Amino acid sequence: MKKITLLLSFSILFSLSFSKLNAITRQMEYLDRGLVAVKISSGVYLSWRFLGTDNAATGFNIYRNNTLVNSSPITTSTNYSDASGTITSIYKVLPVLNGVEDTSRVKTVSPWAQQYKTIQLNRPARGITGPNKYGSTGKAASGSFPNGQPYGYSPNDCSVGDVDGDGEYEIIVKWDPSNSQDNSYYGITGNVYIDAYKLDGTFLWRIDLGKNIRAGAHYTQFLVYDFDGDGLAEVICKTAPGTIDGTGKNVIMNSDNPDADYRSLDTTQITGSKMLGTVLNGPEYLTLFEGKTGAELNTIAYNPPRGSLSSWGDSYGNRSDRFLACVAYLDGVHPSAVMCRGYYARTTLVSYNVQDKKLVQNWMYDSASSSGLSAAGQGNHNLSVADVDNDGKDEIIYASCAFDDNGTVLYRTGLGHGDAMHVSDLDPDRPGLEVWDVHEDAASAYRWEMHDAATGAIIWGGNVAGDNGRGMAGDIDSRYSGFEMWSSLSSGTYSCKGVQISTSKPSTNFRVYWDGDLQDELLDGTKITKWTGSGTTTLLSASGVSSCNSTKATPNLSADILGDWREEVLLWDTSDSNKIRIYTTTTPTANRLFSLMHDPVYRLAIAWQNAAYNQPPHLGFYIGGGLANVQQPDISTVKYNQGTTEVLNPQIQLAKIYRANGMLMINSSETIHSVSVYSVLGGLVYQNNNIQNQEFNYQLPEKEPVLIVKVMSDSGTQVAKILN
């Protein structure tokens, strides 16, 4: 076969992917191999990423101290146990295709001394409030501090993003003061801080959200993602006068006063619009921060403003200050930020794109003014994002309702509010995705139910009296196809068909991929357990660390941020609350799957995991029955500041794609089946699905200076960006 080198000059590189003919290619982040090495009793255990853009035939070579360790390329897994490895060994992994190693962008690692890596943090200083007390709204104080309440900090919810463009995730940490409060409680809180750290512990920046942002699970939902496709992640969150960005500058609009204090400080006010500790007056902002430096890039007025408290359903700011947030590919190609306010009664969602480093509002839904189906009162303390109607664009699953990509209500079940929800291909025998949701509304026809994610149609459910506060779905039992489900009030564990399979129930918290099989394990607090069919066995019991969010006992983060497709768990060190540990599995597996972070449903779940009552991530497809039918995702990845002539995945270069005399010219060593041409914003400019030739020409439109070309041949899809 003739080898053709692609010689195109462009600043942003799009990788290759195997895809369905008419699928929309999503723009996602470039990742390196994520190689991790851990010292174990029998040598050194290593694992690394198989990327969503990799050729399926790619193998890997492992080098210890620049000496090849394996006798032939590793093609059936992405982990390896090196019996001769020591704590001083230095490792690298090289992808191999057709006997040729790819030596670009190689990184070396040294083994961790134990199953976790400790990251030193920069804990904020302790503080003391003015005169304070706290308690449930309208009730006598649970604690009173006439001389001020001392408070300290511990690491709370975390997220990840590549803020410096090196292909490695940085960790974004939200610091929680010990006096943080739920919306339904009064009490002054300390400031909230958001930090960024590299995996080696390097401290990058700190954002001080200031005294006018209250601390608690419902106030600060922060999004970390590359919103504008420059290869660098940004951070978006709610701010106010008093916020200081990562460079030390005030975040302020117009003539607002950065020193203004809008908190309610009257200790006699324990309910109503002046309830102690709440912030129910003053400006509200939404800010886009640069992920690399924490610098403010753009600040706009938060939409919608709180307005009349009663419009949200109460008089003391409980329901008006219930926020959620997510990232969604509303056009199928580019990520948008969606900021949400309210779900008990009035419900609002506003989507934003990032253009020229500015937040640009796309659409807004407000149940108080929108016609048609109403989402009022149909939300949870969490949300999810997936393409549920199979049009290539994401929908936002808000629990008992869902929103289409254009911000209209797709459906409502009418089952009301709940605390926990899970979205995935829960039942692989049914087409599409399903939702497992629990409910607390007394008028709800179900306390737990599974419904179709695209239509809201109830598939099965159950009902008993009471507030069903917890619900869990995970593929924990290989004897049954699909996920298993259970909840706080359910009488046992159920299959995805609604059949009770056990009177026992495991923990109702998080799921995690940890051992070598394709089923879910269970993460609860600092312990990972495995379902046996009638109970559980313990796989990891971490000591000296703590989970977050009080009785919710959630990790700082659970995500596939290193190594192969199994997930890491982040927990904070209790010795001084100034460190985070990253735990990774050391269990070998013969299953090879691309990085979970290259599955759009999973990656977006990591972006929303920190929202309110944290829920675990799920894949957008089912793997419990095996990986034989799993396809590589249709994604393109963007590498920061890359101006060379290299295709990001160099293994497949079957076509020469170039511009000459205003024409798109394609010469391929294989038969071309289809050519699709997109604008830089993702709009389809041209498509031909029946070419059946090795050469193809097309007159380029003059109005489009930059075009994305997708060529499909027998081996898959090649994507290139050309300048017109």
Side-chain angles (χ1 to χ4, degrees), residues 438-622:
V438 300
H439 305 280
E440 66 179 44
D441 287 5
S444 176
Y446 297 94
R447 283 297 185 273
W448 62 87
E449 49 83 17
M450 189 172 85
H451 65 259
D452 187 289
T455 67
I458 306 299
I459 301 168
W460 64 272
N463 195 11
V464 295
D467 179 348
N468 200 16
R470 302 286 180 92
M472 178 63 194
D475 182 20
I476 61 172
D477 199 321
S478 61
R479 298 174 298 175
Y480 305 92
S481 177
F483 281 50
E484 287 69 49
M485 295 88 165
W486 60 100
S487 71
S488 300
L489 296 182
S490 67
S491 57
T493 301
Y494 295 83
S495 73
C496 64
K497 308 297 185 183
V499 177
Q500 186 171 338
I501 64 172
S502 175
T503 57
S504 298
K505 295 185 294 186
S507 58
T508 314
N509 199 349
F510 263 51
R511 48 130 318 271
V512 64
Y513 292 123
W514 193 256
D515 65 9
D517 64 26
L518 296 173
Q519 272 65 52
D520 290 301
E521 283 67 59
L522 296 156
L523 170 61
D524 186 30
T526 62
K527 183 181 292 187
I528 295 176
T529 59
K530 189 170 187 64
W531 174 251
T532 64
S534 58
T536 58
T537 58
T538 299
L539 302 182
L540 176 73
S541 184
S543 59
V545 288
S546 176
S547 56
C548 298
N549 300 312
S550 185
T551 60
K552 301 296 185 289
T554 56
N556 295 90
L557 181 70
S558 176
D560 176 19
I561 63 172
L562 289 169
D564 67 15
W565 56 274
R566 273 85 57 82
E567 293 162 290
E568 281 65 51
V569 175
L570 277 64
L571 300 165
W572 61 274
D573 192 318
T574 56
S575 63
D576 64 358
S577 68
N578 201 19
K579 300 180 180 69
I580 278 182
R581 294 184 191 173
I582 305 176
Y583 285 84
T584 193
T585 185
T586 56
T587 302
T589 180
N591 293 303
R592 184 169 92 159
L593 178 64
F594 57 82
S595 170
L596 305 190
M597 297 296 254
H598 275 168
D599 171 52
V601 172
Y602 184 92
R603 180 63 185 92
L604 297 179
I606 302 308
W608 57 244
Q609 188 180 136
N610 67 77
Y613 291 176
N614 301 10
Q615 295 290 281
H618 292 285
L619 287 167
F621 54 94
Y622 181 66

Side-chain angles (χ1 to χ4, degrees), residues 20-32:
K20 296 180 291 184
L21 189 62
N22 295 317
I24 300 176
T25 301
R26 294 191 177 212
Q27 169 190 295
M28 297 186 73
E29 60 204 341
Y30 158 78
L31 297 174
D32 65 15

Side-chain angles (χ1 to χ4, degrees), residues 71-92:
S71 57
S72 61
I74 301 167
T75 59
T76 59
S77 69
T78 45
N79 63 90
Y80 186 85
S81 295
D82 179 19
S84 299
T86 69
I87 193 67
T88 60
S89 298
I90 298 175
Y91 291 92
K92 63 183 178 182

Side-chain angles (χ1 to χ4, degrees), residues 132-133 186-188 264-267 269 274-278:
N132 197 17
K133 58 185 178 183
Y186 55 85
I188 303 167
S264 297
L265 301 176
D266 185 346
T267 58
Q269 301 293 324
K274 297 182 179 180
M275 189 171 77
L276 177 66
T278 56

